[in-house]
Amino acid sequence: MKIQRVNSLPEREAPVHRNGLMNKNSHPAWIRTGILIALLMVIGVLITPCAAENTTIQVGVILPLSGAYEVIGNELLQGILLAADEIEQEGEALGYHLSLRTADDSGDPETALSLYKEMQAEGVPVIIGSYTTMLTLPMAQESKNPSSPVLVSPRANGEDLYGISPRFFQVNPPIFSLSRFIADWLKYSSDRTSVIYIDDAYGSSVLTHIKNGLKQNDVQLIGEFPLTDDPDYRLLTERVLDTAPDAVVIVVYDNRQIPLISNLSQAGFKGQVIVTESALMSNLEEEIPDDLETFALFTILAYTNLVPGEHADRFLSSYQDRFGEDPSRTPAGYGYDSLMVISEALRTIPCTNGTVTPDMIQEGLNRSNYYGVTGPKVFDSHNAAETAMDRWGFVNGRLELMEISL
């Protein structure tokens, strides 16, 4: 808080007497002004945010920048870098600067956890990471330690993460709403549904909630097919189609989407295919456009890549200028919002001698009222952001956005 200097004192006023006594509110104006300034200065000391101390704050970033999730990890990083540029441009006005400490977990959970502990030992107060539930879960479990850094996950949203730790925050809404919506969608569009799911905590939790929703909606789930690390796609497709589904849900977040969809097409499937992750939309269009034409393909997501508005328009323009890509078809906005919500929290927290602790950042995030390019980032009692969902459909050779729900 800035206090304007008083360069001169006002003239003294004569005290007012009533019944021979001085009115208790009749102190000279210069005394009253001095008292007010003193009080404001005390209040300012008590609530001055770290922004007033021109502090440099380290933010860790742990993402899969190589390996199976390399494309998505780098898109998230590009969003973070764009946010860092904007924050630095405001550096003088904000009064603090951010220093990014970026590391590659290579898509390996043990590496992610090791990097998290390394940054903890270095005193990094807050870390953004990682992409999948599998990569994020070990770090989120470690964040239960009272001395651990705050962990802000840009995309991981499996059931096992929900409310796992007071220090863990999900920028991407949890999967429950996605599963409910898919079940409701299938109520009106399917009689016989099969699900192919990635065999990990995320895939299993999505499957469980889809099953519950289908049961309530009287839709028959006729097949559950876990996807192994090295599947025989042709054999798996035969097993799926032997159940004679009219809808196939693919709960897979990596590039195994492509051979799965391609094999369904080449096997002659004519029903509808629902994909629960869209980070590879451009890859699908580029690599298997003819296969996508053979059935009704939709992506129904537990998130929205960009919410229309001035903020998202500025982000889109800046991202395209810097990286030459369209962020509305990537998860880059979640990287951007992850750093921005941390920056907003830093504006509000008090600190001593330029020190920022995980406790302070946790407190600031708990009060978050930030509206990001991917929707509102107001965290619920389990530290998860509010729900925002996209629905896309394949039309005229391209996946087109059908609807955004907030």
Side-chain angles (χ1 to χ4, degrees):
M1 177 181 294
K2 292 185 177 180
I3 309 274
Q4 185 175 359
R5 284 185 185 273
V6 178
N7 296 318
S8 60
L9 295 176
E11 295 181 2
R12 298 191 182 190
E13 297 178 60
V16 177
H17 295 270
R18 293 182 182 172
N19 299 323
L21 298 174
M22 181 181 288
N23 188 330
K24 64 180 179 180
N25 295 320
S26 62
H27 298 299
W30 70 273
I31 293 179
R32 294 200 303 273
T33 303
I35 292 172
L36 176 61
I37 292 172
L39 286 172
L40 288 173
M41 292 179 70
V42 170
I43 293 170
V45 169
L46 293 175
I47 68 171
T48 295
C50 293
E53 300 191 13
N54 204 27
T55 305
T56 297
I57 301 161
Q58 216 175 17
V59 177
V61 178
I62 300 173
L63 290 171
L65 304 177
S66 62
Y69 311 124
E70 175 180 358
V71 171
I72 299 165
N74 279 281
E75 287 171 342
L76 288 168
L77 179 60
Q78 287 175 178
I80 292 169
L81 293 175
L82 195 63
D85 284 350
E86 290 186 18
I87 293 165
E88 187 58 29
Q89 288 171 10
E90 290 187 76
E92 292 302 320
L94 293 176
Y96 65 82
H97 301 271
L98 299 183
S99 173
L100 297 183
R101 163 98 157 73
T102 303
D104 177 13
D105 63 34
S106 304
D108 177 55
E110 292 184 5
T111 301
L113 178 58
S114 177
L115 291 168
Y116 179 86
K117 289 181 176 179
E118 182 180 317
M119 291 185 187
Q120 176 181 356
E122 294 173 359
V124 177
V126 59
I127 296 171
I128 298 172
S130 180
Y131 167 51
T132 69
T133 297
M134 175 188 69
L135 288 170
T136 307
L137 188 57
M139 295 189 291
Q141 290 170 332
E142 182 66 22
S143 74
K144 297 176 184 178
N145 184 329
S147 63
S148 67
V150 170
L151 179 62
V152 177
S153 173
R155 282 299 288 268
N157 65 347
E159 184 174 6
D160 289 348
L161 292 171
Y162 190 59
I164 191 172
S165 163
R167 291 269 170 90
F168 176 72
F169 290 82
Q170 293 178 232
V171 172
N172 190 14
I175 53 87
F176 314 129
S177 54
L178 165 70
S179 302
R180 285 194 298 266
F181 186 90
I182 289 175
D184 289 342
W185 177 286
L186 292 170
K187 176 181 179 179
Y188 298 103
S189 63
S190 173
D191 294 316
R192 296 168 57 83
T193 297
S194 287
V195 179
I196 303 171
Y197 65 99
I198 200 161
D199 194 12
D200 62 10
Y202 170 82
S204 298
S205 61
V206 175
L207 172 65
T208 296
H209 289 282
I210 289 177
K211 287 170 63 175
N212 292 339
L214 292 178
K215 185 176 181 180
Q216 293 173 4
N217 291 337
D218 295 325
V219 177
Q220 187 177 4
L221 179 62
I222 56 175
E224 305 169 22
F225 302 93
L227 188 63
T228 61
D229 289 338
D230 188 22
D232 181 332
Y233 294 103
R234 182 171 297 180
L235 178 60
L236 177 62
T237 300
E238 290 177 358
R239 291 175 54 218
V240 172
L241 296 186
D242 281 346
T243 63
D246 56 23
V248 176
V249 181
I250 298 178
V251 185
V252 177
Y253 47 71
D254 58 27
N255 55 15
R256 284 177 286 181
Q257 287 180 6
I258 295 172
L260 281 171
I261 293 172
S262 182
N263 274 269
L264 284 171
S265 171
Q266 293 169 20
F269 180 63
K270 298 300 181 183
Q272 65 171 320
V273 174
I274 297 173
V275 183
T276 65
E277 290 289 333
S278 71
L280 298 169
M281 284 194 294
S282 296
N283 301 66
L284 291 172
E285 292 171 351
E286 292 169 5
E287 297 186 32
I288 53 170
D290 293 338
D291 292 329
L292 300 180
E293 296 280 4
T294 60
F295 41 64
L297 177 71
F298 302 95
T299 65
I300 302 176
L301 317 169
Y303 54 84
T304 179
N305 286 330
L306 283 183
V307 173
E310 291 184 8
H311 190 182
D313 290 344
R314 289 195 302 272
F315 167 76
L316 189 148
S317 177
S318 298
Y319 192 92
Q320 288 177 323
D321 288 346
R322 177 162 178 180
F323 301 110
E325 300 172 1
D326 179 2
S328 66
R329 299 167 66 84
T330 77
Y334 282 87
Y336 177 89
D337 280 345
S338 295
L339 188 58
M340 281 299 192
V341 76
I342 292 170
S343 176
E344 291 297 313
L346 290 170
R347 295 173 190 250
T348 67
I349 62 175
C351 63
T352 304
N353 298 324
T355 300
V356 179
T357 67
D359 283 339
M360 294 172 181
I361 293 175
Q362 179 183 331
E363 180 183 346
L365 289 172
N366 282 330
R367 295 195 301 265
S368 173
N369 197 31
Y370 173 68
Y371 197 100
V373 299
T374 61
K377 304 307 167 192
V378 178
F379 298 105
D380 65 16
S381 60
H382 289 74
N383 292 351
E386 295 180 2
T387 299
M389 294 197 303
D390 273 359
R391 263 97 71 200
W392 298 67
F394 190 74
V395 181
N396 299 324
R398 181 178 173 83
L399 280 159
E400 299 285 355
L401 181 62
M402 299 165 59
E403 186 178 3
I404 295 174
S405 296
L406 293 172

